[in-house]
Short mmCIF file of all heavy atoms in Angstrom, two decimals:
data_model
loop_
_atom_site.label_atom_id
_atom_site.label_comp_id
_atom_site.label_asym_id
_atom_site.label_seq_id
_atom_site.Cartn_x
_atom_site.Cartn_y
_atom_site.Cartn_z
N HIS A 1475 74.65 127.05 67.36
CA HIS A 1475 73.53 127.13 68.29
C HIS A 1475 72.55 128.22 67.88
O HIS A 1475 71.33 128.05 67.98
CB HIS A 1475 74.06 127.40 69.70
CG HIS A 1475 72.98 127.44 70.74
ND1 HIS A 1475 72.25 126.33 71.10
CD2 HIS A 1475 72.49 128.48 71.48
CE1 HIS A 1475 71.38 126.66 72.03
NE2 HIS A 1475 71.50 127.96 72.28
N ALA A 1476 73.09 129.35 67.37
CA ALA A 1476 72.20 130.41 66.90
C ALA A 1476 71.41 129.97 65.68
O ALA A 1476 70.21 130.26 65.55
CB ALA A 1476 73.02 131.66 66.58
N LEU A 1477 72.07 129.24 64.80
CA LEU A 1477 71.34 128.73 63.63
C LEU A 1477 70.30 127.70 64.03
O LEU A 1477 69.25 127.60 63.43
CB LEU A 1477 72.33 128.11 62.64
CG LEU A 1477 73.28 129.08 61.93
CD1 LEU A 1477 74.27 128.32 61.05
CD2 LEU A 1477 72.49 130.08 61.09
N GLY A 1478 70.62 126.93 65.06
CA GLY A 1478 69.65 125.93 65.52
C GLY A 1478 68.41 126.55 66.11
O GLY A 1478 67.31 126.00 66.01
N GLU A 1479 68.55 127.73 66.75
CA GLU A 1479 67.37 128.40 67.29
C GLU A 1479 66.51 128.97 66.17
O GLU A 1479 65.29 129.03 66.29
CB GLU A 1479 67.82 129.51 68.24
CG GLU A 1479 68.48 128.99 69.52
CD GLU A 1479 68.91 130.11 70.42
OE1 GLU A 1479 68.84 131.29 69.95
OE2 GLU A 1479 69.32 129.85 71.56
N GLU A 1480 67.16 129.41 65.07
CA GLU A 1480 66.38 129.97 63.96
C GLU A 1480 65.73 128.87 63.13
O GLU A 1480 64.62 129.01 62.65
CB GLU A 1480 67.29 130.82 63.08
CG GLU A 1480 67.86 132.04 63.80
CD GLU A 1480 68.79 132.82 62.92
OE1 GLU A 1480 69.01 132.38 61.76
OE2 GLU A 1480 69.32 133.85 63.36
N GLN A 1481 66.46 127.77 62.93
CA GLN A 1481 65.94 126.67 62.12
C GLN A 1481 65.91 125.42 62.97
O GLN A 1481 66.93 124.79 63.22
CB GLN A 1481 66.81 126.45 60.88
CG GLN A 1481 66.91 127.68 59.99
CD GLN A 1481 67.86 127.45 58.83
OE1 GLN A 1481 68.47 126.38 58.72
NE2 GLN A 1481 67.99 128.43 57.97
N GLN A 1482 64.74 125.07 63.44
CA GLN A 1482 64.60 123.93 64.32
C GLN A 1482 64.66 122.61 63.56
O GLN A 1482 64.72 121.54 64.17
CB GLN A 1482 63.25 124.00 65.07
CG GLN A 1482 63.12 125.21 65.98
CD GLN A 1482 64.12 125.17 67.12
OE1 GLN A 1482 64.54 124.11 67.55
NE2 GLN A 1482 64.48 126.34 67.63
N SER A 1483 64.65 122.68 62.24
CA SER A 1483 64.62 121.47 61.45
C SER A 1483 65.99 121.06 60.94
O SER A 1483 66.09 120.31 59.97
CB SER A 1483 63.71 121.66 60.22
OG SER A 1483 64.17 122.74 59.43
N LEU A 1484 67.05 121.52 61.58
CA LEU A 1484 68.38 121.14 61.14
C LEU A 1484 68.60 119.65 61.40
O LEU A 1484 68.22 119.14 62.46
CB LEU A 1484 69.44 121.95 61.90
CG LEU A 1484 69.63 123.39 61.44
CD1 LEU A 1484 70.68 124.06 62.30
CD2 LEU A 1484 70.03 123.44 59.98
N PRO A 1485 69.23 118.90 60.44
CA PRO A 1485 69.40 117.47 60.64
C PRO A 1485 70.40 117.12 61.72
O PRO A 1485 70.26 116.11 62.39
CB PRO A 1485 69.90 116.98 59.27
CG PRO A 1485 70.52 118.19 58.66
CD PRO A 1485 69.72 119.37 59.16
N CYS A 1486 71.45 117.93 61.91
CA CYS A 1486 72.49 117.62 62.87
C CYS A 1486 72.67 118.81 63.80
O CYS A 1486 73.42 119.73 63.50
CB CYS A 1486 73.81 117.32 62.17
SG CYS A 1486 73.72 115.86 61.11
N PRO A 1487 71.98 118.84 64.95
CA PRO A 1487 72.14 119.95 65.88
C PRO A 1487 73.53 119.94 66.50
O PRO A 1487 74.17 118.90 66.59
CB PRO A 1487 71.06 119.67 66.94
CG PRO A 1487 70.81 118.20 66.85
CD PRO A 1487 71.01 117.84 65.43
N PRO A 1488 74.03 121.11 66.92
CA PRO A 1488 75.37 121.18 67.49
C PRO A 1488 75.43 120.44 68.81
O PRO A 1488 74.49 120.44 69.60
CB PRO A 1488 75.59 122.69 67.68
CG PRO A 1488 74.21 123.26 67.78
CD PRO A 1488 73.36 122.42 66.88
N ARG A 1489 76.58 119.81 69.05
CA ARG A 1489 76.80 119.07 70.28
C ARG A 1489 78.20 119.36 70.78
O ARG A 1489 79.04 119.86 70.04
CB ARG A 1489 76.64 117.56 70.04
CG ARG A 1489 75.26 117.18 69.56
CD ARG A 1489 75.12 115.68 69.43
NE ARG A 1489 76.07 115.15 68.48
CZ ARG A 1489 77.13 114.42 68.80
NH1 ARG A 1489 77.38 114.17 70.05
NH2 ARG A 1489 77.94 113.96 67.88
N PRO A 1490 78.49 119.02 72.04
CA PRO A 1490 79.83 119.25 72.56
C PRO A 1490 80.85 118.44 71.77
O PRO A 1490 80.53 117.43 71.16
CB PRO A 1490 79.73 118.76 74.02
CG PRO A 1490 78.28 118.86 74.35
CD PRO A 1490 77.56 118.57 73.08
N PRO A 1491 82.12 118.87 71.78
CA PRO A 1491 83.12 118.15 71.02
C PRO A 1491 83.29 116.70 71.48
O PRO A 1491 83.51 115.82 70.67
CB PRO A 1491 84.41 118.96 71.27
CG PRO A 1491 83.92 120.32 71.66
CD PRO A 1491 82.62 120.12 72.36
N ILE A 1492 83.22 116.44 72.78
CA ILE A 1492 83.37 115.08 73.29
C ILE A 1492 82.00 114.60 73.75
O ILE A 1492 81.38 115.20 74.62
CB ILE A 1492 84.36 115.04 74.47
CG1 ILE A 1492 85.71 115.59 74.03
CG2 ILE A 1492 84.52 113.62 74.97
CD1 ILE A 1492 86.35 114.86 72.88
N ARG A 1493 81.55 113.50 73.18
CA ARG A 1493 80.19 113.05 73.43
C ARG A 1493 80.10 112.35 74.77
O ARG A 1493 81.04 111.68 75.21
CB ARG A 1493 79.73 112.10 72.32
CG ARG A 1493 80.45 110.76 72.27
CD ARG A 1493 79.91 109.93 71.12
NE ARG A 1493 80.64 108.66 71.01
CZ ARG A 1493 80.26 107.55 71.58
NH1 ARG A 1493 79.17 107.53 72.33
NH2 ARG A 1493 80.96 106.44 71.43
N ALA A 1494 78.95 112.47 75.41
CA ALA A 1494 78.67 111.73 76.63
C ALA A 1494 77.85 110.49 76.36
O ALA A 1494 77.78 109.60 77.19
CB ALA A 1494 77.92 112.63 77.62
N GLY A 1495 77.22 110.39 75.20
CA GLY A 1495 76.42 109.24 74.85
C GLY A 1495 76.70 108.83 73.42
O GLY A 1495 77.64 109.28 72.78
N PRO A 1496 75.89 107.94 72.89
CA PRO A 1496 76.11 107.48 71.52
C PRO A 1496 75.82 108.59 70.52
O PRO A 1496 75.11 109.55 70.82
CB PRO A 1496 75.10 106.32 71.38
CG PRO A 1496 74.04 106.63 72.39
CD PRO A 1496 74.73 107.30 73.53
N PRO A 1497 76.35 108.49 69.30
CA PRO A 1497 76.09 109.53 68.29
C PRO A 1497 74.65 109.48 67.84
O PRO A 1497 73.93 108.50 68.03
CB PRO A 1497 77.04 109.13 67.15
CG PRO A 1497 77.27 107.67 67.33
CD PRO A 1497 77.24 107.44 68.81
N THR A 1498 74.21 110.58 67.23
CA THR A 1498 72.84 110.66 66.77
C THR A 1498 72.63 109.78 65.55
O THR A 1498 73.57 109.42 64.84
CB THR A 1498 72.48 112.11 66.44
OG1 THR A 1498 73.32 112.56 65.36
CG2 THR A 1498 72.68 113.01 67.65
N ALA A 1499 71.36 109.44 65.31
CA ALA A 1499 71.04 108.59 64.16
C ALA A 1499 71.35 109.31 62.85
O ALA A 1499 71.76 108.68 61.86
CB ALA A 1499 69.57 108.18 64.21
N GLY A 1500 71.17 110.64 62.82
CA GLY A 1500 71.47 111.39 61.60
C GLY A 1500 72.95 111.36 61.26
O GLY A 1500 73.32 111.24 60.08
N GLN A 1501 73.81 111.46 62.26
CA GLN A 1501 75.24 111.41 62.01
C GLN A 1501 75.69 110.03 61.57
O GLN A 1501 76.54 109.89 60.68
CB GLN A 1501 76.00 111.84 63.27
CG GLN A 1501 75.85 113.31 63.61
CD GLN A 1501 76.57 113.67 64.89
OE1 GLN A 1501 76.74 112.83 65.77
NE2 GLN A 1501 76.99 114.92 65.02
N THR A 1502 75.12 109.00 62.20
CA THR A 1502 75.47 107.63 61.79
C THR A 1502 75.05 107.36 60.35
O THR A 1502 75.79 106.76 59.56
CB THR A 1502 74.81 106.62 62.73
OG1 THR A 1502 75.21 106.89 64.08
CG2 THR A 1502 75.20 105.20 62.37
N GLU A 1503 73.87 107.83 59.99
CA GLU A 1503 73.40 107.65 58.62
C GLU A 1503 74.26 108.44 57.63
O GLU A 1503 74.57 107.96 56.52
CB GLU A 1503 71.94 108.07 58.51
CG GLU A 1503 71.34 107.87 57.12
CD GLU A 1503 69.89 108.31 57.05
OE1 GLU A 1503 69.35 108.76 58.09
OE2 GLU A 1503 69.30 108.21 55.96
N ALA A 1504 74.67 109.64 58.02
CA ALA A 1504 75.52 110.45 57.14
C ALA A 1504 76.88 109.80 56.92
O ALA A 1504 77.41 109.80 55.80
CB ALA A 1504 75.68 111.85 57.72
N LEU A 1505 77.44 109.21 57.98
CA LEU A 1505 78.73 108.54 57.84
C LEU A 1505 78.61 107.28 56.97
O LEU A 1505 79.48 107.01 56.13
CB LEU A 1505 79.29 108.19 59.21
CG LEU A 1505 80.70 107.62 59.23
CD1 LEU A 1505 81.71 108.67 58.76
CD2 LEU A 1505 81.08 107.12 60.63
N SER A 1506 77.53 106.52 57.16
CA SER A 1506 77.33 105.33 56.33
C SER A 1506 77.13 105.71 54.87
O SER A 1506 77.64 105.03 53.96
CB SER A 1506 76.12 104.55 56.85
OG SER A 1506 76.31 104.15 58.20
N THR A 1507 76.41 106.81 54.63
CA THR A 1507 76.21 107.28 53.25
C THR A 1507 77.53 107.70 52.62
O THR A 1507 77.79 107.44 51.43
CB THR A 1507 75.22 108.45 53.22
OG1 THR A 1507 73.98 108.03 53.81
CG2 THR A 1507 74.96 108.92 51.81
N LEU A 1508 78.38 108.34 53.41
CA LEU A 1508 79.67 108.79 52.88
C LEU A 1508 80.52 107.61 52.44
O LEU A 1508 81.07 107.61 51.32
CB LEU A 1508 80.40 109.61 53.95
CG LEU A 1508 81.85 110.00 53.65
CD1 LEU A 1508 81.93 110.86 52.40
CD2 LEU A 1508 82.47 110.72 54.85
N PHE A 1509 80.65 106.59 53.28
CA PHE A 1509 81.52 105.47 52.94
C PHE A 1509 80.89 104.55 51.90
O PHE A 1509 81.62 103.91 51.13
CB PHE A 1509 81.87 104.67 54.20
CG PHE A 1509 82.98 105.27 54.99
CD1 PHE A 1509 82.73 106.24 55.96
CD2 PHE A 1509 84.30 104.90 54.77
CE1 PHE A 1509 83.77 106.80 56.69
CE2 PHE A 1509 85.33 105.46 55.48
CZ PHE A 1509 85.08 106.42 56.45
N SER A 1510 79.59 104.49 51.84
CA SER A 1510 78.96 103.68 50.81
C SER A 1510 79.07 104.33 49.43
O SER A 1510 79.00 103.64 48.41
CB SER A 1510 77.48 103.44 51.14
OG SER A 1510 76.78 104.67 51.22
N SER A 1511 79.24 105.65 49.39
CA SER A 1511 79.39 106.35 48.11
C SER A 1511 80.78 106.24 47.53
O SER A 1511 80.98 106.51 46.34
CB SER A 1511 79.01 107.83 48.28
OG SER A 1511 79.89 108.47 49.18
N VAL A 1512 81.77 105.86 48.35
CA VAL A 1512 83.14 105.69 47.86
C VAL A 1512 83.21 104.40 47.06
O VAL A 1512 82.75 103.34 47.52
CB VAL A 1512 84.15 105.68 49.02
CG1 VAL A 1512 85.56 105.53 48.49
CG2 VAL A 1512 84.02 106.95 49.84
N GLU A 1513 83.79 104.45 45.89
CA GLU A 1513 83.73 103.33 44.96
C GLU A 1513 84.75 102.24 45.24
O GLU A 1513 84.48 101.07 45.02
CB GLU A 1513 83.90 103.84 43.52
CG GLU A 1513 82.79 104.79 43.08
CD GLU A 1513 83.02 105.32 41.68
OE1 GLU A 1513 84.13 105.11 41.14
OE2 GLU A 1513 82.09 105.95 41.13
N THR A 1514 85.94 102.58 45.72
CA THR A 1514 87.00 101.59 45.91
C THR A 1514 87.36 101.47 47.39
O THR A 1514 87.19 102.42 48.18
CB THR A 1514 88.26 101.97 45.12
OG1 THR A 1514 88.75 103.24 45.59
CG2 THR A 1514 87.93 102.07 43.64
N LEU A 1515 87.88 100.30 47.75
CA LEU A 1515 88.30 100.07 49.13
C LEU A 1515 89.54 100.88 49.47
O LEU A 1515 89.72 101.30 50.62
CB LEU A 1515 88.56 98.58 49.36
CG LEU A 1515 88.96 98.14 50.76
CD1 LEU A 1515 87.88 98.52 51.78
CD2 LEU A 1515 89.24 96.64 50.81
N THR A 1516 90.40 101.12 48.49
CA THR A 1516 91.59 101.94 48.74
C THR A 1516 91.22 103.35 49.17
O THR A 1516 91.77 103.88 50.15
CB THR A 1516 92.45 102.00 47.46
OG1 THR A 1516 92.83 100.68 47.09
CG2 THR A 1516 93.69 102.85 47.68
N ALA A 1517 90.27 103.96 48.48
CA ALA A 1517 89.83 105.31 48.85
C ALA A 1517 89.13 105.30 50.20
O ALA A 1517 89.24 106.26 50.97
CB ALA A 1517 88.91 105.87 47.77
N LYS A 1518 88.40 104.22 50.53
CA LYS A 1518 87.74 104.13 51.84
C LYS A 1518 88.76 104.12 52.97
O LYS A 1518 88.58 104.80 53.99
CB LYS A 1518 86.87 102.87 51.90
CG LYS A 1518 85.59 102.95 51.08
CD LYS A 1518 84.76 101.68 51.28
CE LYS A 1518 83.46 101.75 50.46
NZ LYS A 1518 82.64 100.53 50.63
N GLU A 1519 89.82 103.35 52.80
CA GLU A 1519 90.84 103.28 53.85
C GLU A 1519 91.54 104.62 54.02
O GLU A 1519 91.85 105.04 55.15
CB GLU A 1519 91.84 102.18 53.52
CG GLU A 1519 91.23 100.79 53.52
CD GLU A 1519 92.27 99.70 53.37
OE1 GLU A 1519 93.30 99.77 54.07
OE2 GLU A 1519 92.06 98.79 52.56
N GLU A 1520 91.83 105.29 52.92
CA GLU A 1520 92.48 106.60 53.02
C GLU A 1520 91.54 107.63 53.64
O GLU A 1520 91.97 108.46 54.45
CB GLU A 1520 92.93 107.06 51.63
CG GLU A 1520 94.14 106.32 51.11
CD GLU A 1520 95.37 106.56 51.95
OE1 GLU A 1520 95.72 107.74 52.17
OE2 GLU A 1520 95.97 105.57 52.41
N LEU A 1521 90.27 107.60 53.29
CA LEU A 1521 89.31 108.53 53.87
C LEU A 1521 89.14 108.27 55.35
O LEU A 1521 89.05 109.21 56.16
CB LEU A 1521 87.97 108.40 53.15
CG LEU A 1521 86.83 109.30 53.65
CD1 LEU A 1521 87.19 110.77 53.50
CD2 LEU A 1521 85.53 108.99 52.91
N LEU A 1522 89.10 107.01 55.75
CA LEU A 1522 88.98 106.68 57.17
C LEU A 1522 90.19 107.16 57.95
O LEU A 1522 90.04 107.72 59.05
CB LEU A 1522 88.81 105.16 57.32
CG LEU A 1522 88.71 104.62 58.75
CD1 LEU A 1522 87.51 105.22 59.47
CD2 LEU A 1522 88.64 103.10 58.75
N ARG A 1523 91.37 107.00 57.40
CA ARG A 1523 92.57 107.48 58.07
C ARG A 1523 92.57 109.00 58.21
O ARG A 1523 92.95 109.54 59.26
CB ARG A 1523 93.81 107.02 57.30
CG ARG A 1523 95.12 107.47 57.89
CD ARG A 1523 96.27 107.11 56.97
NE ARG A 1523 96.13 107.77 55.68
CZ ARG A 1523 96.53 109.01 55.44
NH1 ARG A 1523 97.07 109.74 56.41
NH2 ARG A 1523 96.38 109.54 54.24
N THR A 1524 92.10 109.68 57.19
CA THR A 1524 92.07 111.15 57.23
C THR A 1524 91.08 111.65 58.27
O THR A 1524 91.40 112.54 59.08
CB THR A 1524 91.70 111.70 55.85
OG1 THR A 1524 92.68 111.27 54.89
CG2 THR A 1524 91.66 113.21 55.87
N LEU A 1525 89.88 111.10 58.28
CA LEU A 1525 88.87 111.53 59.25
C LEU A 1525 89.29 111.20 60.67
O LEU A 1525 89.05 111.98 61.60
CB LEU A 1525 87.52 110.88 58.93
CG LEU A 1525 86.89 111.26 57.58
CD1 LEU A 1525 85.56 110.55 57.40
CD2 LEU A 1525 86.71 112.76 57.45
N ARG A 1526 89.93 110.06 60.86
CA ARG A 1526 90.40 109.68 62.20
C ARG A 1526 91.45 110.67 62.68
O ARG A 1526 91.44 111.08 63.86
CB ARG A 1526 90.96 108.27 62.17
CG ARG A 1526 91.44 107.78 63.55
CD ARG A 1526 92.34 106.58 63.43
NE ARG A 1526 91.72 105.51 62.68
CZ ARG A 1526 92.28 104.95 61.62
NH1 ARG A 1526 93.45 105.40 61.16
NH2 ARG A 1526 91.69 103.95 61.01
N THR A 1527 92.34 111.06 61.80
CA THR A 1527 93.38 112.03 62.19
C THR A 1527 92.77 113.36 62.57
O THR A 1527 93.18 113.99 63.56
CB THR A 1527 94.37 112.20 61.03
OG1 THR A 1527 94.95 110.93 60.69
CG2 THR A 1527 95.48 113.17 61.41
N HIS A 1528 91.79 113.84 61.79
CA HIS A 1528 91.14 115.11 62.12
C HIS A 1528 90.44 115.04 63.47
O HIS A 1528 90.50 116.00 64.26
CB HIS A 1528 90.12 115.46 61.03
CG HIS A 1528 90.74 115.75 59.71
ND1 HIS A 1528 90.00 115.93 58.55
CD2 HIS A 1528 92.05 115.92 59.33
CE1 HIS A 1528 90.82 116.16 57.54
NE2 HIS A 1528 92.06 116.17 57.99
N LEU A 1529 89.79 113.93 63.76
CA LEU A 1529 89.06 113.80 65.03
C LEU A 1529 90.02 113.77 66.21
O LEU A 1529 89.80 114.44 67.23
CB LEU A 1529 88.20 112.54 64.99
CG LEU A 1529 87.27 112.31 66.19
CD1 LEU A 1529 86.29 113.47 66.33
CD2 LEU A 1529 86.52 110.99 66.03
N ILE A 1530 91.10 113.00 66.10
CA ILE A 1530 92.08 112.93 67.19
C ILE A 1530 92.76 114.28 67.37
O ILE A 1530 93.04 114.71 68.51
CB ILE A 1530 93.09 111.81 66.90
CG1 ILE A 1530 92.40 110.45 66.93
CG2 ILE A 1530 94.23 111.84 67.91
CD1 ILE A 1530 93.32 109.29 66.60
N LEU A 1531 93.05 114.95 66.28
CA LEU A 1531 93.66 116.29 66.38
C LEU A 1531 92.74 117.25 67.10
O LEU A 1531 93.18 118.07 67.92
CB LEU A 1531 93.98 116.79 64.97
CG LEU A 1531 94.59 118.19 64.86
CD1 LEU A 1531 95.94 118.24 65.54
CD2 LEU A 1531 94.73 118.60 63.39
N HIS A 1532 91.44 117.19 66.81
CA HIS A 1532 90.48 118.06 67.48
C HIS A 1532 90.42 117.76 68.98
O HIS A 1532 90.38 118.69 69.81
CB HIS A 1532 89.11 117.89 66.84
CG HIS A 1532 88.01 118.64 67.52
ND1 HIS A 1532 87.89 120.01 67.45
CD2 HIS A 1532 86.99 118.22 68.31
CE1 HIS A 1532 86.85 120.40 68.15
NE2 HIS A 1532 86.29 119.33 68.69
N VAL A 1533 90.41 116.49 69.34
CA VAL A 1533 90.38 116.12 70.76
C VAL A 1533 91.64 116.59 71.47
O VAL A 1533 91.59 117.11 72.59
CB VAL A 1533 90.20 114.59 70.91
CG1 VAL A 1533 90.32 114.18 72.37
CG2 VAL A 1533 88.86 114.15 70.35
N ALA A 1534 92.80 116.44 70.83
CA ALA A 1534 94.06 116.87 71.45
C ALA A 1534 94.08 118.37 71.66
O ALA A 1534 94.49 118.85 72.74
CB ALA A 1534 95.23 116.44 70.57
N ARG A 1535 93.64 119.14 70.68
CA ARG A 1535 93.65 120.58 70.83
C ARG A 1535 92.63 121.05 71.86
O ARG A 1535 92.91 121.98 72.63
CB ARG A 1535 93.36 121.23 69.48
CG ARG A 1535 94.52 121.19 68.50
CD ARG A 1535 94.11 121.73 67.14
NE ARG A 1535 95.26 121.91 66.26
CZ ARG A 1535 95.17 122.25 64.99
NH1 ARG A 1535 93.98 122.45 64.44
NH2 ARG A 1535 96.26 122.39 64.27
N THR A 1536 91.48 120.43 71.87
CA THR A 1536 90.44 120.86 72.81
C THR A 1536 90.85 120.63 74.25
O THR A 1536 90.54 121.44 75.13
CB THR A 1536 89.12 120.12 72.50
OG1 THR A 1536 88.76 120.34 71.14
CG2 THR A 1536 88.00 120.63 73.39
#
Side-chain angles (χ1 to χ4, degrees):
H1475 182 67
L1477 291 176
E1479 292 180 352
E1480 296 178 359
Q1481 301 176 358
Q1482 297 295 333
S1483 59
L1484 284 179
C1486 298
R1489 299 184 300 109
I1492 303 301
R1493 67 181 177 93
T1498 63
Q1501 291 178 332
T1502 303
E1503 182 180 359
L1505 186 66
S1506 301
T1507 302
L1508 172 61
F1509 278 87
S1510 61
S1511 63
V1512 181
E1513 297 178 350
T1514 61
L1515 182 59
T1516 301
K1518 286 183 180 179
E1519 295 187 46
E1520 286 296 306
L1521 179 61
L1522 178 60
R1523 179 187 61 84
T1524 300
L1525 296 181
R1526 182 197 305 125
T1527 302
H1528 294 172
L1529 186 60
I1530 294 177
L1531 178 64
H1532 175 72
V1533 174
R1535 285 174 170 174
T1536 305

